């Protein structure tokens, strides 16, 4: 959780504690010198030098610099006598034009002399020595830098040695003779940004690992992979403070299970598991899926900083391209607020899967339109996933795509759109014609928050870009259907008839399960070929069910 503000000059009174520093080695005598999470709503203890600084709401409270035409907006804190220390902050660029920068400062001996770790346009991060406004690079790396994304920046100063980290990965290191002491600070140049969870600890101990010379998708120089595990905690008590930083720590070409344990908190960030990082597991540390939430709020129509919009796939809070991924005891969410926007394209994906052999156990998927996009790597590829004891909520097409997915003993919850007759569609499959298996719901409960009776469809056939070979396949079997499910539960989409799709049911119960002429039912013989094991087996005989 965010830290409360601590006194600026706490060194003499602070108890010495053992603290493992993000991206660095443990310091045996690290003490907290300063901390500010801006929860009190002001900037007391900070001195201003240009810009328009205020505290705003952002998953809690955060410091914001909102003046984009200022070439050197700075805010300083701390004691000018501080020497060896580490300063860390979460930083989110809001706008980052071609000449812009968003930075964290250390050992500021004046308003224009300091060490600086800067996020730059063009996917660049640079560690610099700045004297009287003139910058000299100490190290740099190329890595994704996007407006609207939180990053954790850290600078360590120890004697003449300076090191900079982004999300736990070493950016650069060098020696400098600017000043032996100085305050900390934050800075923007022709940019706007937010800052949160600023902490300063004494010691400044730094590792000897050299900076990376390749892209950020290569094996990291920070912790781990030793032990093939990592811990993520927002309060800094783990190896990383962001989930993506932990994913980046997985070695490229990974061939064994790498477990990322995530401590309680809301992690507002975009997360991608790349195709070259298979066998990754996310595990919520408490065993309660509600305690760990990974979320973001892009929608299909959300404007991108460089122009255009994100589109449906680009709206995903979490994208999974690495095969054999698993997730347990956590929540994936897209927190896009439909009522606050009028984009015209409001698909907002919580999770996009494009990989094979995925397992989700006790996982919650939250959103509205297009919550869970279960897809595959290509039209010819099969992407299998097993969802056991999960919770999926939404309203329009909230389980969709061409993937092969088994939903076993899950709750599928339809949210009300306030209509008396049409509160949306549970599924929108685009299963390719050569694949006999799309979505199977077995032993599930179809529930609603408040949708009217007879107002929700089980599904409609999605033909992406009019693809006539996308012949959706869905079976609901042995499940309990609430009264919100229509007696004619399948419907057409974009001129394609549901009757040409592969939709059927088998032995469902509940007030929404009445068998009618518009509800194709499997025979007992047919039902034996539509089981979880049949859906998931594929050519390798995969069977994760239990």
């Amino acid at each position: 959780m965010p830290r409360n503000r601590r006194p600026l000059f706490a060194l003499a009174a602070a108890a010495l504690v053992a603290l493992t520093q993000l991206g660095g080695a443990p310091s045996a005598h690290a003490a907290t010198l300063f901390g500010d999470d801006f929860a009190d709503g002001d900037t007391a203890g900070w001195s201003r030098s240009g810009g328009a600084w205020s505290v705003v709401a952002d998953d809690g409270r955060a410091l914001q610099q909102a003046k984009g035409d200022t070439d050197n907006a700075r805010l300083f804190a701390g004691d000018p006598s501080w020497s060896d220390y580490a300063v860390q902050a979460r930083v989110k660029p809001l706008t980052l034009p071609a000449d812009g920068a968003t930075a964290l400062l250390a050992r500021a001996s004046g308003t224009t002399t300091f060490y600086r770790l800067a996020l730059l346009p063009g996917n660049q991060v640079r560690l610099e020595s700045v004297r009287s406004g003139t910058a000299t690079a100490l190290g740099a790396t190329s890595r994704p830098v996007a407006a609207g994304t939180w990053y954790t920046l850290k600078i360590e100063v120890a004697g003449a040695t300076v090191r900079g980290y982004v999300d736990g990965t070493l950016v650069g290191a060098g020696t400098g003779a600017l000043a032996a002491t100085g305050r900390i600070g934050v800075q923007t140049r022709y940019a706007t940004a937010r800052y949160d969870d600023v902490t300063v600890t004494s010691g400044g101990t730094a590792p000897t690992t050299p900076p990376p010379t390749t892209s950020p998708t290569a094996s990291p120089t920070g912790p781990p992979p030793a032990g093939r595990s990592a811990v993520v905690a927002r309060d800094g008590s783990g190896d990383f403070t962001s989930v993506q930083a932990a994913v980046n720590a997985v070695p490229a070409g990974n061939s064994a299970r790498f477990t990322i344990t995530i401590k309680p908190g809301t992690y507002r960030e975009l997360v991608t598991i790349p195709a070259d990082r298979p066998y990754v597991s996310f595990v919520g540390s408490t065993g309660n899926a509600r305690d760990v939430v990974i979320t973001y709020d892009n929608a299909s129509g959300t404007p991108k900083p460089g122009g255009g919009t994100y589109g449906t796939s680009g709206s995903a809070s979490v994208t999974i391209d690495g095969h054999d991924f698993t997730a347990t005891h956590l929540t994936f969410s897209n927190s896009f607020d439909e009522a606050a926007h009028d984009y015209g394209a409001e698909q907002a994906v919580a999770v996009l899967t494009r990989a094979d052999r995925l397992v989700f156990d006790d996982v919650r998927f939250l959103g509205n339109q297009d919550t869970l996009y279960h897809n595959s790597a290509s039209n010819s590829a099969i992407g299998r996933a097993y969802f056991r004891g999960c919770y999926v909520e939404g309203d329009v097409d909230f389980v969709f795509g061409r993937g092969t997915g088994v939903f076993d003993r899950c709750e599928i919850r339809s949210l009300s759109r306030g209509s008396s007759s049409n509160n949306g569609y549970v599924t929108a499959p685009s299963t390719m014609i050569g694949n006999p298996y799309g979505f199977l719901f077995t032993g599930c409960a179809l529930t609603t928050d408040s949708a009217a009776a007879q107002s929700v469809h089980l599904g409609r056939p999605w033909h992406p870009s009019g693809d006539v070979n996308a012949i959706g396949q869905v079976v609901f079997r042995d499940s309990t259907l609430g009264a919100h499910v229509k007696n004619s539960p399948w419907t057409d989409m974009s001129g394609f008839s549901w009757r040409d799709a592969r939709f059927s049911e088998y032995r469902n119960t509940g007030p929404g399960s009445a068998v009618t002429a518009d509800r194709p039912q499997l025979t007992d013989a047919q039902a034996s070929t539509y089981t979880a094991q049949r859906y998931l087996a594929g050519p390798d005989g995969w069977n994760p069910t239990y």
Side-chain angles (χ1 to χ4, degrees):
M1 298 300 292
R3 301 170 180 83
N4 293 321
R5 176 174 291 138
R6 298 180 178 90
L8 294 181
F9 311 114
L11 180 58
L16 299 181
V17 295
L19 175 66
T20 300
Q21 299 189 19
L22 176 66
S27 171
H29 299 289
T32 301
L33 303 178
F34 174 82
D36 200 348
D37 63 2
F38 307 101
D40 54 6
D42 62 45
T43 57
W46 294 82
S47 60
R48 180 179 307 181
S49 181
W53 300 89
S54 63
V55 176
V56 299
D58 189 332
D59 187 25
R61 295 193 176 187
L63 174 68
Q64 176 171 283
Q65 200 293 105
K67 194 170 175 59
D69 59 354
T70 301
D71 66 344
N72 194 6
R74 294 147 294 168
L75 212 60
F76 297 101
D79 190 325
S81 68
W82 284 350
S83 56
D84 294 353
Y85 62 85
V87 55
Q88 177 176 298
R90 293 198 307 131
V91 180
K92 178 166 74 173
L94 298 178
T95 59
L96 196 61
D99 56 351
T102 299
L104 180 67
L105 313 178
R107 274 204 195 150
S109 60
T111 59
T112 59
T113 298
F114 37 72
Y115 292 107
R116 176 169 66 194
L117 181 60
L119 300 173
L120 303 169
N123 294 327
Q124 292 290 313
V125 184
R126 191 159 60 229
L127 179 66
E128 300 171 322
S129 168
V130 181
R131 184 189 295 274
S132 300
T134 300
T136 301
L138 299 177
T141 189
S142 177
R143 59 154 295 151
V145 175
T149 299
W150 283 103
Y151 302 91
T152 298
L153 304 190
K154 180 179 181 181
I155 305 174
E156 291 180 336
V157 285
T161 301
V162 185
R163 296 180 183 272
Y165 302 83
V166 176
D167 291 338
T169 299
L170 186 63
V171 170
T175 57
L178 279 181
T181 62
R183 299 178 295 168
I184 60 100
V186 292
Q187 180 190 37
T188 63
R189 180 181 70 228
Y190 295 122
T192 59
R194 290 178 182 170
Y195 302 83
D196 202 359
D197 298 333
V198 182
T199 59
V200 184
T201 53
S202 67
T205 306
T208 57
T209 309
T213 57
T214 58
S215 73
T217 58
S219 299
T221 58
R228 308 206 66 81
S229 65
V231 176
V232 177
R234 281 199 59 192
D235 63 5
S237 63
D239 300 306
F240 302 96
T241 57
S242 82
V243 177
Q244 186 62 55
V247 173
N248 293 344
V250 178
N254 179 49
S255 60
R257 182 63 54 190
F258 192 109
T259 300
I260 298 171
T261 300
I262 308 173
K263 291 189 176 183
T266 297
Y267 297 82
R268 189 177 183 279
E269 55 178 303
L270 297 172
V271 175
T272 297
I273 295 90
D276 66 352
R277 282 163 171 76
Y279 304 108
V280 171
S281 290
F282 286 0
V283 179
S285 66
T286 68
N288 186 337
R290 295 176 180 271
D291 290 343
V292 174
V293 179
I294 302 171
T295 187
Y296 210 73
D297 60 354
N298 283 334
S300 176
T302 300
K304 296 174 69 173
T309 58
Y310 284 98
T312 301
S313 295
S315 74
S317 302
V318 177
T319 301
I320 302 169
D321 288 318
H323 65 79
D324 292 277
F325 172 87
T326 73
T328 310
H329 306 318
L330 50 81
T331 298
F332 296 120
S333 167
N334 190 310
S335 49
F336 173 70
D337 186 350
E338 291 182 342
H341 300 84
D342 186 18
Y343 288 150
E346 296 186 342
Q347 298 88 345
V349 176
V351 171
L352 164 61
T353 73
R354 293 186 293 216
D356 192 28
R357 296 194 303 267
L358 314 177
V359 176
F360 300 87
D361 189 355
D362 185 30
V363 172
R364 301 166 74 233
F365 301 86
L366 309 184
N368 287 98
Q369 182 172 355
D370 290 9
T371 303
L372 176 54
Y373 191 176
H374 179 32
N375 218 32
S376 66
S378 68
N379 283 353
S380 60
I382 302 299
R384 294 166 291 174
Y386 179 51
F387 303 84
R388 181 185 183 275
C390 293
Y391 172 93
V392 189
E393 73 172 26
D395 46 35
V396 175
D397 306 333
F398 61 96
V399 178
F400 73 111
R402 64 171 173 259
T404 295
V406 171
F407 296 82
D408 185 1
R409 290 162 283 178
C410 297
E411 181 180 357
I412 311 299
R413 192 166 184 83
S414 293
L415 303 179
S416 175
R417 298 195 297 168
S419 171
S420 61
S421 60
N422 186 359
N423 282 297
Y425 319 86
V426 175
T427 67
S430 57
T431 325
M432 297 307 294
I433 192 170
N435 183 4
Y437 299 120
F439 300 150
L440 171 65
F441 297 83
T442 179
C444 293
L446 273 65
T447 65
T448 183
D449 60 343
S450 58
Q454 295 290 311
S455 67
V456 172
H457 296 87
L458 290 180
R460 56 183 183 169
W462 181 36
H463 292 256
S465 302
D467 188 347
V468 295
N469 292 315
I471 308 297
Q473 197 278 331
V474 179
V475 171
F476 284 87
R477 63 172 297 166
D478 303 301
S479 295
T480 303
L481 313 186
H484 60 292
V485 176
K486 286 176 171 284
N487 286 340
S488 297
W490 310 102
T491 190
D492 303 341
M493 185 177 187
S494 302
F496 289 91
S497 171
W498 72 265
R499 297 182 184 277
D500 295 327
R502 295 171 285 175
F503 295 159
S504 54
E505 297 176 73
Y506 180 69
R507 294 201 307 199
N508 293 320
T509 59
S513 66
V515 176
T516 69
D518 290 327
R519 303 183 80 150
Q521 303 289 311
L522 297 174
T523 66
D524 290 345
Q526 290 171 329
S528 66
T529 67
Y530 293 97
T531 65
Q533 290 80 4
R534 291 289 188 95
Y535 270 71
L536 300 175
D540 57 3
W542 187 54
N543 184 13
T545 62
Y546 64 99

